[in-house]
Amino acid sequence: MKYPTIIMLGCLFASGAIGRSDAVLAAERKAKVLRIGHTLAEDSHYGVGLKKFADLVKAKTDGTLHVEVSGNSKLGNERDLIEGVSLGTIEMCLVSTGTIPSFSKEFMVFDLPFIVQDRKKIYRTLDGETGREMLDSLGGKGIKGMVFFENGFRNITDSRRPINTPADLAGLKIRVMENPVHLETFRVLGANASPMPFGELFTALQQKIMDGQENPLFIIKTSRFHEVQKYLALTEHVYSPAVMMIGNRVYAGLTGAQRKALMDAAREARDFERKFIIDNENRIIAELKRAGMVVTSPDKAVFRKAVEPVYRKFEAEIGKALIDKVRDS
Ligand code: EAX
């Protein structure tokens, strides 16, 4: 065989054209494109989970739906993404619950520090009736909340000193999400906290506009914060789920079979993503240490005690019943 023939066959195999029926190929050409925006890196837990989701959707719809994953805040920061899905200018997004309270207050319950201790228990709440009610609360904004992925337990990093007690945070400039509970938590802990969209964070840390930030291990690693942060404190002060959303009108425009396939794929990808995080967490800590980070494990009980005023401040707004439901889980 001459080279051009080999290359041509190679291309055919790579594109999957061989062995596919004409009907399937025609369907793929006409496939409806669903862009799903997120703010993290391609190799992050969101990126990997959404790649799985896209593959599953393709398989389950015989290629009639094409999920196009767009990370790194390319379609906007999390607020823009939710607004876009609400208005119908973006089809889908995956965002941390930390950004959702300005659209639906109930989600603020997850921002209460240390309310979630055991991720296996919270999965049951999220995937059950309580979670369903919360997701449905987005309906009034034109959004269908599909499933809860995981963002994860948040940990503090900084460039100034190791954090072992709240006193070590005194005066540190810490970036928090645009979320009133996070802001209050870090204020109560004595830090100089200010909100900022995720997409601006790396540069802010690099230029020392911020001394530190807090995020799950996967984000710290895949957004390369270890290159601009020396210290990592495993505080696990907030467990944040992430919500996969689709515009109501986009969803209504799908066939019944496509809607079922999309939801099935979302649930499968959700389970895959959660497991992927758990399976890789120890490896990530080891990699961060190898990259030069100094890791501390503060006494969480001391931090918990220090943030009690945050509960008193937000209890009425969030609702005691919801707080108890999430805490008991
Ligand atoms: O949804 O902004 C943040 O710190 C979040 O953890 C991130 O956007 C993931």
Side-chain angles (χ1 to χ4, degrees), residues 39-40 46 78 94-96 99 151 154 175 177 196-198 201 213-216 219 242:
T39 56
L40 302 182
Y46 286 9
E78 293 198 329
L94 179 66
V95 294
S96 151
T99 334
N151 187 15
R154 304 181 76 89
R175 174 270 180 178
M177 298 184 76
M196 176 184 276
F198 185 81
L201 181 52
Q213 62 89 43
E214 42 83 59
N215 252 306
I219 297 185

Side-chain angles (χ1 to χ4, degrees), residues 30 53 60 83 89 91 143 145 151 155 158 180 192 222 263:
K30 281 196 310 206
F53 174 64
K60 288 177 193 292
E83 246 154 41
T89 54
E91 292 78 37
I143 295 171
N151 187 15
N155 300 292
D158 78 285
N192 179 0
T222 59
M263 285 306 297

Side-chain angles (χ1 to χ4, degrees), residues 4 48 59 102 121 133 143 305:
V48 172
S102 46
K121 283 187 188 160
E133 281 168 16
I143 295 171
K305 184 101 195 67

Side-chain angles (χ1 to χ4, degrees), residues 196-225:
M196 176 184 276
F198 185 81
E200 295 165 29
L201 181 52
F202 184 88
T203 309
L205 295 170
Q206 189 174 41
Q207 298 180 347
K208 301 269 179 350
I209 294 163
M210 294 288 173
D211 296 317
Q213 62 89 43
E214 42 83 59
N215 252 306
L217 294 168
F218 246 99
I219 297 185
I220 294 167
K221 180 66 183 37
T222 59
S223 287
R224 306 188 341 270
F225 290 161

